[in-house]
């Protein structure tokens, strides 16, 4: 926890490849002269937020944009088809290891950077397997914390930190507005990837039942805190320009990053329009 008085918090939600919209949102916020006193992140939001917490301002936003361009043009998230087949055939708990992501994070932050040494206070959330509870990393090794927050079940293996095992933070707090409120932020900018911007309907196919169930749980927590905000807390949910229908099969093609540039632009333009309106 930070003892610093928190006025403005940035809350960056999870969403895999759709997290590119948050790059555009961060650019719009920076151009609007809005800087955070605290950054909170889940999964890809933890990745994005950590870069800006490490290097605040336009330099950090530009660096993050360049990183996304590099990732989109690399095979970091693709993995080998044969490795995935082998993982399934040999009953491994994940389709690929997290070595590539670890190397990327260590290149960005260095292997030894600690959360408490970032220039902007930063925290990220992961799901504890043993305790079946959300866990907030507010100190300790940064790379391990982001890996834990980003350990998508079945895609990546659980991450062990201090003898405890963690999965992706989206399981317990996909858009962690609650944490910002608990920590006393009076103004919160929520950077979300577009899932909240599409309507739900009853399932028509078997696979849709699971998607809808998870979406109900995700939205219920967020809408409940929005409906019960303490007096004096101002929340701005930035539009993504990327409304994602819950049954959009592109969500399953997590490694296809050809839309990255368009997503960044959509998040930027929609957020510029929103900020100008307020």
């Amino acid at each position: 926890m930070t003892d610093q008085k928190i006025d403005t918090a940035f809350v960056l939600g999870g969403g895999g490849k759709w997290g590119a919209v948050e790059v555009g949102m961060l650019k719009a916020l920076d151009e609007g002269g809005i800087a955070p006193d605290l950054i909170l992140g889940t999964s890809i939001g933890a990745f994005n937020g950590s870069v800006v917490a490490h290097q605040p301002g336009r330099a950090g936003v530009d660096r993050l944009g360049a990183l996304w361009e590099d990732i989109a043009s690399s095979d970091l998230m693709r993995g080998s088809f044969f490795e995935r087949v082998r993982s399934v055939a040999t009953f491994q708990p994940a389709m690929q290891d997290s070595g590539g992501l670890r190397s990327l994070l260590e290149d960005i932050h260095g292997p030894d950077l600690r959360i408490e040494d970032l220039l902007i206070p930063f925290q990220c959330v992961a799901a504890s397997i043993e305790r079946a509870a959300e866990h907030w990393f507010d100190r300790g090794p940064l790379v391990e914390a982001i890996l834990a927050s980003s350990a998508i079940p079945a895609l990546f293996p659980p991450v062990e930190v201090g003898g405890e095992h963690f999965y992706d933070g989206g399981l317990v707090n996909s858009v962690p507005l609650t944490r910002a409120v608990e920590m006393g932020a009076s103004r919160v900018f929520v950077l979300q990837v577009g899932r909240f911007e599409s309507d739900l309907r009853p399932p028509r196919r078997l696979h849709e039942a699971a998607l809808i169930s998870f979406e109900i749980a995700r939205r219920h927590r967020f809408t409940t805190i929005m409906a019960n905000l303490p007096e004096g807390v101002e929340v701005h949910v930035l539009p993504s320009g990327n409304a994602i229908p819950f049954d959009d099969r592109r969500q399953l093609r997590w490694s296809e990053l050809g839309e990255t540039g368009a997503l960044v632009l959509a998040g930027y333009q929609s957020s510029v329009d929103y900020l100008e309106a307020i």
Side-chain angles (χ1 to χ4, degrees):
M1 291 287 206
T2 177
D3 296 326
Q4 173 184 330
K5 183 181 184 302
I6 299 167
D7 175 26
T8 300
F10 286 3
V11 170
L12 289 83
K17 67 179 182 180
W18 308 116
V21 300
E22 296 176 352
V23 181
M25 293 172 172
L26 288 165
K27 181 180 178 182
L29 288 165
D30 180 70
E31 289 182 355
I34 301 170
D37 303 305
L38 171 70
I39 296 175
L40 304 172
T42 298
S43 196
I44 195 64
F47 171 84
N48 289 337
S50 71
V51 176
V52 177
H54 190 177
Q55 190 173 11
R58 184 58 183 269
V61 173
D62 287 347
R63 186 184 187 203
L64 181 61
L67 287 168
W68 271 89
E69 291 178 4
D70 289 344
I71 294 169
S73 62
S74 74
D75 61 356
L76 171 68
M77 298 303 293
R78 292 182 177 85
S80 162
F81 170 78
F82 296 104
E83 287 177 356
R84 294 182 199 171
V85 171
R86 185 170 62 248
S87 295
V88 174
T90 58
F91 302 101
Q92 297 300 307
M95 287 191 290
Q96 64 183 70
D97 65 36
S98 54
L101 181 56
R102 177 183 293 276
S103 295
L104 174 66
L105 290 169
E106 290 182 349
D107 286 343
I108 295 169
H109 296 299
D112 302 318
L113 185 67
R114 298 179 64 83
I115 294 172
E116 53 267 40
D117 294 330
L118 293 168
L119 296 180
I120 298 176
F122 169 84
Q123 299 182 15
C124 64
V125 65
S128 166
I129 293 176
E130 286 85 355
R131 292 183 291 113
E134 76 178 57
H135 176 87
W136 280 92
F137 290 93
D138 60 0
R139 64 190 72 247
L142 176 65
V143 169
E144 299 300 323
I146 299 172
L147 286 172
S149 185
S150 307
I152 301 171
L155 178 57
F156 294 121
V159 174
E160 182 178 356
V161 181
E164 192 169 1
H165 297 83
F166 297 95
Y167 264 144
D168 191 286
L171 295 173
V172 288
N173 207 338
S174 181
V175 182
L177 174 59
T178 46
R179 184 69 167 184
V181 173
E182 290 167 358
M183 295 188 66
S186 58
R187 184 175 65 157
V188 183
F189 289 89
V190 174
L191 289 68
Q192 51 82 40
V193 302
R195 288 196 178 101
F196 295 159
E197 297 170 30
S198 61
D199 296 330
L200 295 180
R201 60 161 173 76
R204 296 170 185 163
R205 296 178 177 84
L206 183 61
H207 76 276
E208 292 180 352
L211 293 173
I212 292 171
S213 299
F214 185 66
E215 196 60 37
I216 290 170
R218 185 205 320 270
R219 295 188 191 191
H220 172 70
R221 178 163 190 170
F222 185 77
T223 55
T224 298
I225 187 63
M226 284 291 291
N228 295 279
L229 289 172
E231 185 176 350
V233 177
E234 174 186 337
V235 176
H236 298 280
V237 181
L238 297 183
S240 69
N242 179 51
I244 307 169
F246 75 90
D247 57 349
D248 190 332
R249 288 181 176 271
R250 291 178 301 163
Q251 296 187 72
L252 304 177
R253 299 194 290 269
W254 50 269
S255 64
E256 296 179 7
L257 302 175
E259 299 174 83
T260 294
L263 290 169
V264 172
L265 182 59
Y268 171 74
Q269 191 57 62
S270 60
S271 294
V272 166
D273 293 343
Y274 176 86
L275 295 173
E276 286 179 349
I278 65 171

